[in-house]
Amino acid sequence: MNIEWYPGHMTRARRMMQENIKLIDIVIELVDARLPLSSKNPDIDKLAAGKARLLVINRKDMADDAVTNRWADYYRSKGFSVLCVDSKSGAGVRKVTGMVQEACREKIERDRRRGIRNRPLRAMVVGIPNVGKSTFINRLIGKNSAAVGNKPGVTRGKQWIKLSKTIDLLDTPGILWPKFEDQAVGMRLAVSGSISDDILDKTEMALYLIGYLKSSYPGVLEQRYGITVSGNDAADLEAIALARKCLAAGGAADMDRMAALLVDEFRTLKLGRISLEMPPEAGSGDE
Ligand code: G4P
């Protein structure tokens, strides 16, 4: 797997985020509901040390609800405040301000003891590229908010958006890159469309998807394509191509075209709402 990002671009984005994090009270971190671990950059724990945290599981409309609920429990057990949302429709997003307030309770109490009142909480959204940060921020802003403007001395050059009487949001989200710790992480990111399609071959992605669906969502391929799956993922891809009449000249299965089609059908939910990874079982030692 050849995964090359743009190091200069990444370094700048990371530096900017490090600077911005100093200004805020709470990090609102977005992950993709279909792959809530692979789409999460573990570096954020170090970068956000000492800050309140809200984990937003985005794209809940695309994932398997039962699995998403297990992920929410998993992250809650790790100490996160967790909210599942669909930023595209806006479902769940209006709960954010209440949850930010709740996650910052300690800070609000501390301020109050020091005689500080009415100081707005400052929040920032972070996440990997394409996870839905802009869509989420736009939903969050809605119609009723306005830019607060620059606050000289403290937030020079930054725009803060007033989310409520008590919460200001930094208008630019922090970008973190996913970590390709193992092959499966890169594969899930590729299959879900979170990273560029140039990085991995579509046939590799399709074969991975077929293997995964057979073990984690048995019956899905049979139902969609009317095939009988075998123990061989490539043979299954061929059977799907033949069933779909996805043929090359001469009548043979067009494997490349079918691979791209299968990945596309997964991404557009034609195969249903499927989660690409399951949370570690409690006590399994994988945590
Ligand atoms: P980013 O800022 O983190 O890079 O991500 P961005 O908001 O640009 O979102 C990337 C894509 O994900 C967009 O689709 C957006 O509509 C979609 N998206 C974001 N949140 C959700 C969600 O909760 N559910 C669903 N189903 N989709 C979501 P796009 O194809 O790039 O644009 P468009 O076709 O929506 O215009």
Side-chain angles (χ1 to χ4, degrees), residues 163-185:
L163 286 189
S164 71
K165 246 201 302 206
T166 51
I167 305 170
D168 288 352
L169 177 76
L170 195 61
D171 72 344
T172 34
I175 305 171
L176 282 164
W177 275 262
K179 272 219 157 143
F180 306 97
E181 268 151 0
D182 61 42
Q183 187 99 359
V185 170

Side-chain angles (χ1 to χ4, degrees), residues 30 32 34 57-62 85-91 93 125-139 173-175 267 269:
L30 261 65
D32 187 319
R34 296 166 301 167
I57 302 185
N58 191 38
R59 290 209 180 102
K60 75 173 174 127
D61 56 305
M62 300 183 83
V85 306
D86 162 5
S87 298
K88 198 157 179 169
S89 76
V93 173
V125 170
V126 307
I128 65 169
N130 210 31
V131 74
K133 298 180 293 301
S134 319
T135 312
F136 173 75
I137 290 174
N138 286 338
R139 277 281 167 198
I175 305 171
R267 290 178 185 168
L269 306 183

